[in-house]
Amino acid sequence: QEVTVEVLEHLEHLALVDFRDAEGVERLRKAIRFADLLQEVNTEGVEPMDSVLEDRCLYLREDDVTEGNCTKELLKNAREKVEEYFVAPPGNIPLLKLEEQETFLQGS
């Protein structure tokens, strides 16, 4: 399956991932090839599962916080932030305009 500009733009917005460089586009192409292989697996007669652990009893545990108070340290990783929140595109991952993506894809 060909990676079109529209598919690239849609995936970037959904996943908040930047596929601008050749490495990112190649990683995406490999993922698509792998997904295509999965489509070839014969699953006829196999019941869908909710979880790989659906036959086990899962117990809840207490959520013990062992670390914390590191908001300032974590926010140092943000290219752009508002109050105590990361800003998603176009702040942290600047996305290419549609015509820039077409130019990039033609060069890869």
Side-chain angles (χ1 to χ4, degrees):
Q1 181 176 349
E2 186 60 32
V3 178
T4 65
V5 173
E6 291 78 19
V7 167
L8 201 61
E9 184 179 52
H10 183 68
L11 290 173
E12 283 182 333
H13 284 284
L14 287 176
L16 305 181
V17 174
D18 186 359
F19 294 114
R20 233 188 305 205
D21 60 9
E23 181 183 343
V25 172
E26 184 54 33
R27 224 176 307 135
L28 178 61
R29 286 184 176 138
K30 285 181 182 178
I32 291 171
R33 284 193 296 271
F34 180 71
D36 287 342
L37 282 175
L38 291 177
Q39 294 295 324
E40 296 176 16
V41 175
N42 181 2
T43 58
E44 189 174 320
V46 177
E47 290 294 319
M49 298 174 70
D50 292 329
S51 165
V52 295
L53 302 172
E54 68 180 10
D55 62 336
R56 298 182 184 170
C57 184
L58 302 177
Y59 299 98
L60 296 177
R61 62 172 173 77
E62 291 296 320
D63 188 12
D64 297 324
V65 178
T66 57
E67 297 177 18
N69 289 331
C70 54
T71 303
K72 287 181 184 176
E73 184 179 335
L74 291 174
L75 285 173
K76 287 179 186 176
N77 296 316
R79 183 176 298 166
E80 189 175 330
K81 58 187 176 244
V82 173
E83 296 176 5
E84 292 184 357
Y85 298 97
F86 282 83
V87 176
N92 287 328
I93 304 170
L95 301 177
L96 293 173
K97 303 285 185 252
L98 200 58
E99 56 275 0
E100 294 172 319
Q101 288 178 341
E102 288 173 353
T103 303
F104 175 76
L105 282 176
Q106 290 169 356
S108 68

